[in-house]
Amino acid sequence: MISEAGLSFNLIQTERQNHARELVQGLNLSEWDGIITVSGDGVLYEVLNGLLQRPDWEEAVKTPVGILPCGSGNALAGAVNQHGGFEPALGIDLLLNCSLLLCRGGSHPLDLLSVTLASGSRCFSFLSVAWGFVSDVDIQSERFRALGSARFTLGTVLGLATLHTYRGRFSYLPATVEPASPNPAHGLPRAKSELTLAPAPAPAGAHSPLHRSVSDLPLPLPQPALTSPGSPEPLPILSLNGGGPELAGDWGGAGDAPLSPDPLLPSPPGTPKAAQLSPISEGPSEMAASSGLPPPTPGAPVATSAGGPPDHLLPPLGTPLPPDWVTMEGDFVLILAILPSHLGADLVAAPHARFDDGLVHLCWVRSGISRAALLRLFLAMERGNHFSLGCPHLGYAAARAFRLEPLTPRGVLTVDGEQVEYGPLQAQVHPGLGTLLTGPPGCPRREA
């Protein structure tokens, strides 16, 4: 398809972790129109952070980037597929849709998230920051990578069987004014710091079932290098969290052992994800000393970027937050901060998110939810309908910045699926900092 479209390219196969990062740091970007990764989300993470580590990062980060999905999760490709107007797809179908969109041309501003870690190092995210159930499944399922996307299904089952909760403090700078009163559907009023807005459910559509027979797509590359022949939609109307019908008595831990904070969950081996296929290179609370927070995990892999814009919304990590921030503290099953709509090719975590809405979409699940209810949330997430279930443990807020302070000694933190050092972190959205090759919006569906 790329050849028939008349696109000229160089094809480079990466040979090791962070190879893509090194490649883009040495590229003469003026010779190329864009950089495409044939991979999962991990190699694109390397590319973007490599661009932001260059001395000329202000110009380098404007280089259009794109993805042809061949990984396990393929979250960004799922969002590109939806932006292009296609039905949800996996495997070869998703790859063909993204290839067609690439050939049709077109780009879109891409928000990036600057993440400051406990050590003071900084990395940039295009996808998500996760703590708890999501990051546990992501990292602990690495051993099942040979199963492709099925690794997450198996990892989820195992994660539900050994479900943990984590105590932490979560603060954010709201993007909108919060409502003054709670939703009466929830019964007992909630603390003002917990009042959140939830997006309206995705519009119902006649989607054909997702085909799961093709799980992973390792493309055979016989040679390490090949050469070929040359207006935003308005934000959705938001409703109070849990505005859907509440399933009385069905969300708690009935039939399940009560979930309690587990400070003894061991950190998994520090082996971050590294997709094996490579890019096509075309070119208000103060952190007290007695808080019990552990030092950064020794030897944990950290991918940092020295360049990039300053974080004008963030005070130094460990200092008090401004009064316009919202803070909550408690026991959580998961906390997820996500930029695009998709957490995976078939998981729509933030249904109304856009590539350039200038927001980070915060989702969290508090302790007390049953395993069956948590499973229902993730099944509903395949259609982006999880907010309409009315789960009282599920929270949502749209924000411009956030701070996460784990109070449980051990756990797993990930940025774009890559494990980073464990400890407090904070992040800020930089609207439209990058450029994503998306193809035209609302592309007609490809005929079979």
Side-chain angles (χ1 to χ4, degrees), residues 45 49 113-117 121-125 303-305 415 420:
Y45 171 84
N49 279 275
L113 192 67
S114 169
V115 184
T116 303
L117 304 174
S121 59
R122 196 164 69 139
C123 58
F124 285 84
S125 162
T304 61
S305 289
V415 176
V420 297

Side-chain angles (χ1 to χ4, degrees), residues 249-273:
D250 200 28
W251 290 107
D256 287 340
L259 300 180
S260 58
D262 184 354
L264 302 178
L265 180 67
S267 297
T271 306
K273 295 192 299 186

Side-chain angles (χ1 to χ4, degrees), residues 41-265:
D41 297 308
V43 175
L44 186 58
Y45 171 84
E46 290 188 17
V47 167
L48 284 168
N49 279 275
L51 292 174
L52 283 156
Q53 281 181 313
R54 291 170 58 111
D56 62 342
W57 65 266
E58 292 182 80
E59 287 300 317
V61 75
K62 297 177 184 177
T63 303
V65 297
I67 190 165
L68 296 180
C70 294
S72 302
N74 301 320
L76 187 63
V80 169
N81 184 73
Q82 175 176 282
H83 177 268
F86 291 106
E87 292 186 354
L90 293 173
I92 294 244
D93 290 335
L94 180 61
L95 177 60
L96 291 178
N97 290 351
C98 290
S99 300
L100 178 59
L101 290 169
L102 172 65
C103 292
R104 289 172 61 92
S107 62
H108 207 82
L110 179 67
D111 296 341
L112 296 179
L113 192 67
S114 169
V115 184
T116 303
L117 304 174
S119 63
S121 59
R122 196 164 69 139
C123 58
F124 285 84
S125 162
F126 66 90
L127 181 57
S128 66
V129 176
W131 180 48
F133 183 78
V134 171
S135 58
D136 291 347
V137 169
D138 201 355
I139 297 303
Q140 294 175 5
S141 67
E142 282 286 344
R143 51 185 165 161
F144 309 125
R145 178 170 284 275
L147 300 178
S149 62
R151 63 177 263 220
F152 297 114
T153 304
L154 180 56
T156 298
V157 172
L158 296 177
L160 286 170
T162 59
L163 192 59
H164 299 273
T165 62
Y166 300 87
R167 187 159 191 83
R169 186 180 299 117
F170 190 39
S171 309
Y172 61 91
L173 177 62
T176 57
V177 178
E178 293 190 329
S181 60
N183 187 337
H186 276 327
L188 295 177
R190 303 169 68 190
K192 182 178 184 297
S193 63
E194 294 188 46
L195 290 179
T196 56
L197 297 176
H207 296 306
S208 57
L210 296 180
H211 299 287
R212 301 177 180 273
S213 57
V214 180
S215 59
D216 209 358
L217 298 168
L219 298 184
L221 299 177
Q223 299 176 0
L226 299 173
T227 303
S228 82
S231 80
E233 299 175 3
L235 285 174
I237 298 176
L238 302 181
S239 59
L240 282 171
N241 181 33
E246 186 169 339
L247 304 180
D250 200 28
W251 290 107
D256 287 340
L259 300 180
S260 58
D262 184 354
L264 302 178
L265 180 67

